[in-house]
Amino acid sequence: MSTLPTTTLGTGGPVVGVQGLGCMGMSEYYGPTDTTEALATLDRALELGVTLFDTADVYGSGHNEELIGPFVRANRDRVVLATKFAIERRADDPAYRAVNNSPAYIRSAVDASLRRLGVDVIDLYYMHRRDPAVPLAESVGTMAELVQAGKVRHLGLSEVTGAELREAHAVHPIAALQSEWSLFSRDTERSAVPAAAELGVALVPYSPLGRGFLTGAFASAEELGEDDFRRHQPRFSGDNARANAALVEPVRKIAADRGATPAQVALAWVHQRAEVHGLSVVPIPGTRRRSRLEENTAAAALRLTEAELAALEPIAGRVAGDRYPDMSATSTARE
C-alpha cells in the first residue's frame, strides 16, 4: 500500500509520489554496492508509493540504466522513469568529464539510453548540465523533437538559472527542474525556484540529505573509502568539515525531540519548501538499502513547526566550502 501522497510534475506532467528515488549510488560514486539489496530497494520503493525513479547515462557509464532497466520494464505502467544526457565520459580516462548539449549528441544519447533501459519511451528526459556555448533554444528545440518523435514524454533541466528556465520553457514546456537543494545548499532559491513557481515547473531536489552529511553518517571525508567521490568535495574535508559538522547539531536536536532521525528532519524541511515557495517539490534521496528507504519515505509525514524551521533557517548561510571542487557547470556559476 502506498504511504506517500502524490503531486504533479509541471503543468500536465506525470503524477508521482512526493518523494522519488535517486539510483546513482547503486552503480558508482559512494563505494561498493550490494546489487541484490539495491534491486530489492527498487521493489520496496514502489510498494511504499515511490514512483519517480531517477538515473542518468553518466552513472556508471551506462551501468545504472542497465541495472534498473528490468525493474522499469516489469513495472512500466507504475514507474515514472527519469534519465539524463549531457555529461560525456571516456573509457580510457576515468576522470574525464565534458558537457555536450549539441543536437547531434542529444539524438544519439537518447537512443543509447532507450537501448540500455530496454524501453520505448522515457517519461522525463533531463539536460543534466548546461553548456553555455550551445544556444539553449537549440538544445531544448532538439529535446522537443524527441517528444514529437515519441521517444520522450516530458522534458526537464538540471542546474539552470531562473533566466535559463524561462528561456527553455518558452521553447517547450519544462516539467521539472532538478537541482541540489537541502539545508546545506540553498543557492537554487536565488532565481531558479521563483522562476519555477511562476512557470508551474516542479522542483526535484537532488542530494536533499547533503550527500549524507546531514544524517550524521559521516563527519569528515577522511572516514570515507578511497573510491567515494565525496572525498573530493570541499565542504566535507579539513576545517570545512569540522565547521559544518557543528551546523548539524540543530538537526540532531529536533530529531531527538521528535523521535525522528536527522535524515527525516532534513527531508521534512525539503518537503515543506513546497508550501514556502508555492510549487511541487519531489526530493530524490538516493539509497541502496531498504532500511534507509523506509526511513526516508517516512519523512514525508513529518511536519516541522515554525519554531523548528526557524532553528534550521541559518544553517545554509553558514556552510563552509563549495558543493563541488569545480563549480563551473552549476547554475551558481552563471548567476
Side-chain angles (χ1 to χ4, degrees):
M1 173 177 281
S2 171
T3 62
L4 290 174
T6 60
T7 191
T8 303
L9 295 182
T11 304
V15 175
V16 298
V18 295
Q19 191 173 126
L21 178 63
C23 300
M24 179 182 80
M26 295 180 180
S27 294
E28 197 180 14
Y29 299 106
Y30 293 113
T33 296
D34 179 339
T35 300
T36 300
E37 178 62 19
L39 294 176
T41 299
L42 295 173
D43 289 328
R44 182 62 176 144
L46 202 55
E47 290 175 357
L48 292 173
V50 173
T51 55
L52 178 63
F53 292 82
D54 184 271
T55 182
D57 58 3
V58 72
Y59 301 159
S61 297
H63 174 270
N64 199 242
E65 290 180 328
E66 293 174 346
L67 177 72
I68 74 168
F71 163 79
V72 173
R73 295 192 299 273
N75 301 282
R76 196 65 193 96
D77 60 336
R78 301 169 64 196
V79 166
V80 175
L81 168 66
T83 191
K84 316 178 195 72
F85 74 88
I87 303 177
E88 289 188 288
R89 300 179 71 172
R90 288 178 180 167
D92 61 350
D93 183 0
Y96 178 84
R97 300 287 190 281
V99 177
N100 193 335
N101 290 171
S102 70
Y105 180 77
I106 295 170
R107 295 185 187 106
S108 66
V110 73
D111 287 341
S113 285
L114 288 168
R115 184 172 61 253
R116 284 189 293 265
L117 288 157
V119 298
D120 297 324
V121 62
I122 293 163
D123 299 311
L124 178 59
Y125 199 43
Y126 287 103
M127 177 190 292
H128 205 163
R129 291 292 185 271
R130 165 98 173 93
D131 177 6
V134 179
L136 187 57
E138 188 175 312
S139 300
V140 178
T142 303
M143 295 169 71
E145 291 173 8
L146 304 180
V147 177
Q148 294 162 6
K151 295 181 179 182
V152 170
R153 289 196 173 104
H154 305 281
L155 303 185
L157 301 173
S158 181
E159 287 286 351
V160 298
T161 67
E164 289 168 336
L165 180 58
R166 288 188 180 91
E167 182 183 351
H169 196 74
V171 176
H172 187 281
I174 302 299
L177 168 61
Q178 183 174 142
S179 289
E180 185 165 357
W181 200 8
S182 73
L183 282 167
F184 261 31
S185 301
R186 296 179 62 177
D187 40 322
T188 193
E189 293 176 20
R190 282 200 293 269
S191 72
V193 167
E198 171 192 321
L199 299 170
V201 175
L203 251 291
V204 177
Y206 73 83
S207 299
L209 297 174
R211 301 199 184 277
F213 198 85
L214 285 163
T215 72
F218 70 104
S220 169
E222 296 172 359
E223 302 171 20
L224 304 172
E226 290 295 331
D227 57 349
D228 193 310
F229 92 121
R230 291 172 292 184
R231 289 181 68 92
H232 308 291
Q233 292 186 298
R235 59 180 48 169
F236 303 141
S237 298
D239 291 340
N240 288 347
R242 284 185 283 277
N244 293 336
L247 298 178
V248 181
E249 183 54 37
V251 182
R252 286 194 292 262
K253 183 179 186 306
I254 293 169
D257 291 345
R258 296 293 295 273
T261 67
Q264 288 170 337
V265 171
L267 276 171
W269 180 89
V270 175
H271 279 294
Q272 285 180 240
R273 296 305 92 191
E275 297 170 32
V276 172
H277 295 280
L279 76 173
S280 293
V281 176
V282 183
I284 49 168
T287 186
R288 301 167 288 186
R289 290 184 285 167
R290 285 170 285 183
S291 58
R292 290 297 187 199
L293 172 82
E294 291 163 358
E295 175 185 349
N296 291 345
T297 54
L302 177 62
R303 184 167 183 83
L304 301 176
T305 67
E306 290 301 318
E308 290 166 340
L309 292 172
L312 300 172
E313 183 65 25
I315 291 176
R318 298 172 181 168
V319 172
D322 285 331
R323 297 193 279 127
Y324 294 98
D326 177 1
M327 291 286 287
S328 63
T330 68
S331 58
T332 306
R334 298 189 302 280
E335 284 193 318

